[in-house]
Amino acid sequence: MAGSGTSYHSAAQMENAMRRASGLDVHAVYPFAVTREMLGDGSRTLFVGVSQGGGSLSTLKALKIAQNAGCTLATMCGTQNAVIDTLADHVLTVAVGEEEAGAKTKGYYGTKLNLLLLAQAIGRARGALDEAALADAAKRLQETIDRFDGVTEAAEAWVRKNSARLATTKDLRFVGPASLYGDTLEVALKTLETLRVPVSAYEFNEFIHGIYNAITEDSFVILLDDGTEPRMQTMAAVLREWTEDVVVIGTGEAAHTDLHLGDIPRDEFETFLFPIAGQMISALVPWAKGYDPTAPKDPTFHDRLASKER
């Protein structure tokens, strides 16, 4: 799977879940990393180009490389008749429609779910998943959807209470466990786009290999804790020695949280709930800074850079 920005984050987040569901080797890569040498003999490879808007020229280039390697090509976009669809053997459209206003969100959810459904369909065809497993997954997905309102309400209440505090930060860091790596990247990208200050994201073990040295009293650190990294609470305690602004966003499995998202099960569907808190920051805090987060800083940016084809 290849995609940039939110598209890559979607693929990276679903990578392991897709391996379990399909019984196949699955990899998420950035388009710039795709080379003919990497793909080798692609005759037994399904190469999926992911692009919310469907016009990413870097993803189009990666698809052409995969085509030359003999791969079967599929595309997964947020709109019908996308530019990259012209190369596809299989068009796996996520019909959420184009997102015109600022930072994208609905494409992230649509793409993640569609990738999982693709893996489940492959797993079913290969005999890796039976009907009982598919029915159980559908049941757990519905239970996840039923939790949306509660998580959204909790996130909105916390962000409104702390919006002034968040609005003054000039250095924001997100740290998450490996199980939430794609989500950690995504919430950082959305807050960077909307708060318009430096924001970075790291997997826990990457953060402790040097990044922690950059934390100062001016830093604001948000830790995503789903209970899979036992040292997350220790990390919070250590970082609070250097900055007062350390926030833990977690579930019922976490020992302590500043923003509690509820008792979210540890499965492939937790990814549909954890990003809500970061997206709520992106939606509300810019207003406290005095501007509309849905308005891009430069609506003509991609045209000027010739980075997308419409």
Side-chain angles (χ1 to χ4, degrees), residues 21-44:
S22 67
L24 296 174
D25 199 10
V26 180
H27 295 281
V29 296
Y30 285 109
F32 65 77
V34 176
T35 64
R36 182 66 182 80
E37 293 76 15
M38 173 206 291
L39 295 170
D41 177 10
S43 61
R44 294 177 58 84

Side-chain angles (χ1 to χ4, degrees), residues 8-9 13 20 63 117 156 199-200 206 236 244 274 279 288:
Y8 171 76
H9 304 161
Q13 183 59 42
R20 290 192 295 269
L63 283 162
L117 291 173
E156 180 176 1
V199 181
S200 55
E206 286 301 300
E244 295 179 357
F274 258 91
Q279 290 165 342

Side-chain angles (χ1 to χ4, degrees), residues 103-181:
K104 311 297 189 292
T105 55
K106 64 181 180 178
Y108 186 57
Y109 290 96
T111 302
K112 288 191 296 184
L113 182 58
N114 207 37
L115 286 169
L116 182 58
L117 291 173
L118 170 62
Q120 289 176 343
I122 293 171
R124 181 183 183 182
R126 299 181 70 248
L129 286 180
D130 58 21
E131 294 301 323
L134 291 169
D136 177 66
K139 177 176 178 290
R140 288 184 287 114
L141 174 59
Q142 184 59 57
E143 291 171 349
T144 300
I145 292 170
D146 292 341
R147 289 182 170 92
F148 260 80
D149 287 348
V151 171
T152 300
E153 289 169 7
E156 180 176 1
W158 186 89
V159 173
R160 289 193 183 280
K161 180 180 178 182
N162 293 276
S163 61
R165 176 183 169 200
L166 285 158
T168 60
T169 185
K170 292 181 173 57
D171 175 22
L172 180 58
R173 317 279 177 140
F174 286 90
V175 181
S179 56
L180 295 174
Y181 182 57

Side-chain angles (χ1 to χ4, degrees), residues 12-119:
Q13 183 59 42
M14 301 313 294
E15 200 176 43
N16 280 326
M18 292 178 70
R19 289 176 183 139
R20 290 192 295 269
S22 67
L24 296 174
D25 199 10
V26 180
H27 295 281
V29 296
Y30 285 109
F32 65 77
V34 176
T35 64
R36 182 66 182 80
E37 293 76 15
M38 173 206 291
L39 295 170
D41 177 10
S43 61
R44 294 177 58 84
T45 298
L46 174 64
F47 189 93
V48 184
V50 185
S51 173
Q52 260 78 59
S56 170
L57 295 181
S58 60
T59 302
L60 185 67
K61 180 180 178 181
L63 283 162
K64 290 178 179 178
I65 294 172
Q67 187 178 56
N68 290 333
C71 299
T72 298
L73 304 184
T75 52
M76 193 173 287
C77 305
T79 57
Q80 303 279 357
N81 303 314
V83 172
I84 68 171
D85 290 346
T86 58
L87 290 179
D89 299 301
H90 305 283
V91 176
L92 308 174
T93 298
V94 185
V96 299
E98 188 171 359
E99 297 180 89
E100 299 286 353
K104 311 297 189 292
T105 55
K106 64 181 180 178
Y108 186 57
Y109 290 96
T111 302
K112 288 191 296 184
L113 182 58
N114 207 37
L115 286 169
L116 182 58
L117 291 173
L118 170 62

